[in-house]
Amino acid sequence: MIVLDDRTEMAEESGELTLDAMFEALAKMPVPEGTKVEIVGGNIFMSPQRQTHFEIVFDILQQLYGRYPRNRMASDVRIDFPGHLNGFACDAAALAEGAVRGDHGRWRHQDVEFVAEVISQGTASNDYGPKKTAYALAEVPVYLVADPYQGRCHLYTQPKDGEYTSELSVAYGGVVDMTDTPLELAFDTAGLPRD
């Protein structure tokens, strides 16, 4: 590995690699424009963003906007979650009223009420696996996965002991009922595109 600065070198020498050091090194790399970068379990994942992906995220944010003001929503913004080196850039997130930014001006996972991820072929296993576990460990009340390859949305709620105890699957065209969650809304999937 090429050492980019003294902090990265010191972190590696002490055996303590941090998310900040990893993201700092990534910021100096030639990451192609339009590429999403996340760290999941200490592994770096880069995935190019597609038009279908954007349309689904935009649709989710539009429907959230009736319930959440713009300053309590985030998309592709780093939020650190429980577990080993988890710095996620959620496709869409909604924050509780009174949410405050923690260290370095980033949102705190304790204030996240909702996360949505749109499946990409290369990183789908993260969204259904370690990220889902991290969101449950963080007790994010509502986790929505939009899967344009299956043409389905998967809703996970009621986190307990690092797992979601309630799961619902709805085919595109249906409505994902989240009225009994902190979101208090029904998500219409009729306009979501497929891949």
Side-chain angles (χ1 to χ4, degrees), residues 77-113:
V77 173
R78 176 182 164 189
I79 301 173
D80 297 344
F81 284 91
H84 175 69
L85 298 176
N86 285 325
F88 304 157
C90 313
D91 288 325
L95 302 146
E97 191 170 339
V100 294
R101 294 175 192 234
D103 296 341
H104 308 292
R106 288 191 291 275
W107 292 114
R108 300 172 334 125
H109 69 80
Q110 295 91 332
D111 294 327
V112 177
E113 288 186 335

Side-chain angles (χ1 to χ4, degrees), residues 63-193:
Q63 292 188 53
L64 284 176
Y65 189 62
R67 169 75 170 85
Y68 291 87
R70 186 175 60 235
N71 65 350
R72 287 185 28 227
M73 293 190 293
S75 178
D76 290 339
V77 173
R78 176 182 164 189
I79 301 173
D80 297 344
F81 284 91
H84 175 69
L85 298 176
N86 285 325
F88 304 157
C90 313
D91 288 325
L95 302 146
E97 191 170 339
V100 294
R101 294 175 192 234
D103 296 341
H104 308 292
R106 288 191 291 275
W107 292 114
R108 300 172 334 125
H109 69 80
Q110 295 91 332
D111 294 327
V112 177
E113 288 186 335
F114 169 81
V115 169
E117 297 288 3
V118 179
I119 295 298
S120 296
Q121 284 183 329
T123 58
S125 60
N126 287 338
D127 297 328
Y128 287 118
K131 289 174 78 174
K132 179 179 154 193
T133 299
Y135 296 143
L137 283 169
E139 297 185 351
V140 173
V142 183
Y143 176 40
L144 179 71
V145 174
D147 192 326
Y149 303 100
Q150 294 178 357
R152 301 188 78 74
C153 283
H154 303 277
L155 179 67
Y156 302 96
T157 58
Q158 301 174 9
K160 183 177 179 182
D161 300 327
E163 293 184 8
Y164 283 102
T165 61
S166 178
E167 299 179 18
L168 173 69
S169 181
V170 176
Y172 278 15
V175 173
V176 180
D177 184 1
M178 296 184 276
T179 54
D180 63 346
T181 72
L183 274 71
E184 299 176 343
L185 63 83
F187 177 65
D188 185 359
T189 68
L192 298 184

